[in-house]
Amino acid sequence: MLRLLEIEYNKLRYSRSARILIITYFILITFIALIASIEFNIGQIEFRVADQGIFNFPYIWHFNSYIAAILKLFLAIVIVSMMSNEYSNRTIKQNLIDGLSKKEFILSKFLTVIVFSGISTLFLFVVTMILGLSFSDFNEASIIFSDLEFLLAYFVKLTGFFAFCMFLGILVKRSAFALGFLVVWAILEKILYAFLNFKVFKGTDIATEIMQFFPLESISNLIVEPFSRLNAVQTAASQIGGELDKDYGIHWYQLLIVIVWIVIFVYASLILLRKRDL
């Protein structure tokens, strides 16, 4: 495995665009800290974002995981480009000539996906701990380390998304077309959901139950938006007679659905590669 990772590392090391995208991704995650400095002055009222509890433990695990996951497109571009470059530079053919099997080739790419997801999760953990210990009103260990399941969901979310990108990179061969296919697939899932929800199963939750098994929707469902958990939002909703009753938890079956898709994407990539004439 280390040999396979070393091969991929050497490929990425000499890719200037990959280095820029990876560095940009991690820099943007650290920019979450800048949210703490946002202030609004409305007349005599001073509104400071950090005072709204977004950096309080354990809520910060949810908030940071959700925000950081939005930035995953930067690494997705690296994954797709990594696959397309294998074809354009003919390195895939050279790897196979040098004795690398097609199974080992796919494994090397998937191991890279795992490493990207693992490093991202570890980095997010460090950033969140620093922000939480700096701004949180609660510093008890039992509170700090509760809700860590959001990091697990973040890791699975990234792995699932990157595995999908890896599959698209092999399927389409061109990074621009692969990313375009990704956007089109996301739009199609939304259109299908709207059709099922407003036409076929109107007034029920059946459409939501069906769509949770689709790849991008299942990945998206792992971490629900955290903003409606804020006290200010909850208070505002209660004052206008509304009630926000949303399930923010991380559920095992949601993780399982994404893990199944990861397995499908990896094996589909291998099947595609075995059937292709390189």
Side-chain angles (χ1 to χ4, degrees):
M1 286 190 179
L2 289 178
R3 179 176 66 91
L4 298 178
L5 283 174
E6 185 179 359
I7 292 173
E8 295 305 317
Y9 170 74
N10 288 329
K11 291 176 183 177
L12 290 174
R13 185 176 62 174
Y14 295 108
S15 173
R16 185 170 178 270
S17 59
R19 292 201 308 270
I20 292 173
L21 287 168
I22 292 170
I23 293 171
T24 301
Y25 172 77
F26 287 108
I27 289 176
L28 287 175
I29 290 180
T30 61
F31 278 3
I32 295 176
L34 295 179
I35 298 176
S37 63
I38 298 177
E39 294 184 14
F40 299 99
N41 292 318
I42 307 174
Q44 300 297 319
I45 301 175
E46 292 186 0
F47 181 86
R48 187 165 177 256
V49 174
D51 294 336
Q52 303 309 305
I54 65 171
F55 291 145
N56 278 342
F57 287 117
Y59 174 80
I60 189 174
W61 296 115
H62 185 183
F63 179 80
N64 281 8
S65 297
Y66 180 82
I67 297 298
I70 296 174
L71 306 172
K72 64 184 180 293
L73 185 60
F74 285 92
L75 289 185
I77 296 173
V78 175
I79 298 293
V80 171
S81 299
M82 178 177 68
M83 299 308 305
S84 64
N85 288 340
E86 295 286 354
Y87 290 100
S88 60
N89 298 333
R90 298 185 178 276
T91 50
I92 180 174
K93 190 171 185 177
Q94 187 60 49
N95 286 154
L96 297 177
I97 292 174
D98 291 339
L100 200 68
S101 69
K102 291 183 177 181
K103 183 178 180 180
E104 287 177 322
F105 177 82
I106 294 297
L107 180 59
S108 69
K109 300 302 180 185
F110 182 61
L111 286 174
T112 304
V113 164
I114 294 292
V115 169
F116 275 156
S117 301
I119 293 176
S120 299
T121 303
L122 179 61
F123 188 76
L124 181 65
F125 171 80
V126 173
V127 170
T128 302
M129 284 294 292
I130 292 173
L131 289 175
L133 293 175
S134 300
F135 296 102
S136 177
D137 295 328
F138 311 102
N139 293 320
E140 295 83 0
S142 58
I143 296 178
I144 290 176
F145 295 106
S146 60
D147 280 5
L148 278 179
E149 62 268 20
F150 282 102
L151 286 183
L152 172 62
Y154 177 76
F155 174 79
V156 175
K157 186 184 184 84
L158 291 191
T159 304
F161 188 70
F162 296 157
F164 189 27
C165 292
M166 180 185 76
F167 168 71
L168 292 180
I170 292 178
L171 178 67
V172 184
K173 295 185 180 180
R174 295 291 183 269
S175 57
F177 290 123
L179 291 171
F181 190 97
L182 178 65
V183 173
V184 170
W185 184 276
I187 294 173
L188 288 176
E189 282 196 14
K190 295 300 181 185
I191 292 174
L192 179 60
Y193 172 74
F195 176 73
L196 293 176
N197 193 46
F198 298 110
K199 290 290 185 180
V200 182
F201 303 111
K202 189 175 181 180
T204 69
D205 293 329
I206 298 178
T208 302
E209 296 297 323
I210 293 173
M211 293 305 299
Q212 71 174 333
F213 294 102
F214 281 68
L216 292 183
E217 187 65 21
S218 64
I219 291 170
S220 175
N221 288 341
L222 283 180
I223 303 177
V224 182
E225 59 82 20
F227 307 108
S228 54
R229 287 182 64 182
L230 291 171
N231 292 332
V233 177
Q234 296 280 350
T235 302
S238 62
Q239 288 178 348
I240 61 176
E243 186 176 347
L244 297 175
D245 185 19
K246 183 178 284 189
D247 183 5
Y248 301 100
I250 307 298
H251 301 288
W252 67 267
Y253 60 87
Q254 293 176 321
L255 294 169
L256 181 61
I257 291 171
V258 177
I259 290 172
V260 169
W261 275 115
I262 292 171
V263 174
I264 292 173
F265 292 142
V266 173
Y267 273 93
S269 299
L270 180 58
I271 291 171
L272 273 176
L273 194 62
R274 281 176 172 172
K275 289 186 175 182
R276 282 218 175 115
D277 183 11
L278 302 175

